[in-house]
Amino acid sequence: MTWPTPDPVLPGQESVWDFPRPAMCEPTPAHVVIEHRGLILADTRRAIRTLETSHPPSYYIPPADIRAGILRRGAGSSFCEWKGQAVYWDVVLEDETLPSVGWSYPNPSRPFAMLRDHVAFYASAFDRCSVDGETVVPQPGGFYGGWITSAVAGPFKGIPGSRFW
């Protein structure tokens, strides 16, 4: 297996190659916003971010900061070796349903207890997701839910050839 060469870290950046493995989570004061079809679906300064080697952060939003009435339990589940069993959420708007665009951990493992009932979202599903006013780029690869901003240096898991990173 060939490991990537980390991108240069510019002033004010974190390298995803300095993030821990196993993963960890921490509160962040960042201003996290999700917008779609002219609506603010989530707006918080109380998110929790997860950090894992080679991944941009994922942001978990407390339910009180998600627009009321838009979440419906989605199909399927998945298992994270660190966080535990995830469930998926649909976002239901008046004339549109976005299936399985969010996920949460109803009973996370002890090191991730602060994630309980917080919901993370795939940025690619929405018109705009932002962190501190900067529009994010979705983590490549489809399955991964990290949000890429100018504050993180890659390369990021999900690009071709990264399966075993």
Side-chain angles (χ1 to χ4, degrees):
M1 173 182 358
T2 302
W3 289 97
T5 300
D7 294 339
V9 178
L10 303 174
Q13 283 188 319
E14 299 175 279
S15 173
V16 297
W17 294 95
D18 292 332
F19 289 170
R21 189 169 178 88
M24 55 93 59
C25 62
E26 64 182 15
T28 177
H31 188 199
V32 175
V33 178
I34 299 174
E35 302 172 55
H36 194 69
R37 304 287 185 251
L39 299 173
I40 302 295
L41 303 184
D43 187 340
T44 191
R45 292 181 186 274
R46 301 181 304 144
I48 298 167
R49 70 179 192 157
T50 56
L51 305 176
E52 179 181 348
T53 303
S54 79
H55 293 261
S58 293
Y59 293 88
Y60 290 75
I61 300 170
D65 295 343
I66 299 169
R67 186 182 191 93
I70 66 166
L71 293 179
R72 178 181 67 200
R73 184 71 176 269
S77 65
S78 61
F79 183 78
C80 171
E81 63 188 307
W82 295 300
K83 295 182 281 290
Q85 189 75 35
V87 298
Y88 288 87
W89 295 96
D90 298 340
V91 168
V92 180
L93 304 173
E94 189 173 293
D95 60 347
E96 180 180 17
T97 297
L98 305 171
S100 298
V101 296
W103 71 96
S104 66
Y105 294 90
N107 296 298
S109 65
R110 183 173 291 135
F112 291 89
M114 70 175 67
L115 293 182
R116 185 179 316 278
D117 299 325
H118 286 56
V119 182
F121 295 91
Y122 291 104
S124 60
F126 303 99
D127 292 340
R128 182 173 189 257
C129 296
S130 63
V131 176
D132 290 334
E134 180 182 348
T135 300
V136 306
V137 173
Q139 182 176 4
F143 177 75
Y144 303 110
W147 291 15
I148 300 170
T149 66
S150 62
V152 290
F156 307 105
K157 185 164 177 96
I159 63 172
S162 67
R163 181 173 178 199
F164 296 107
W165 287 359

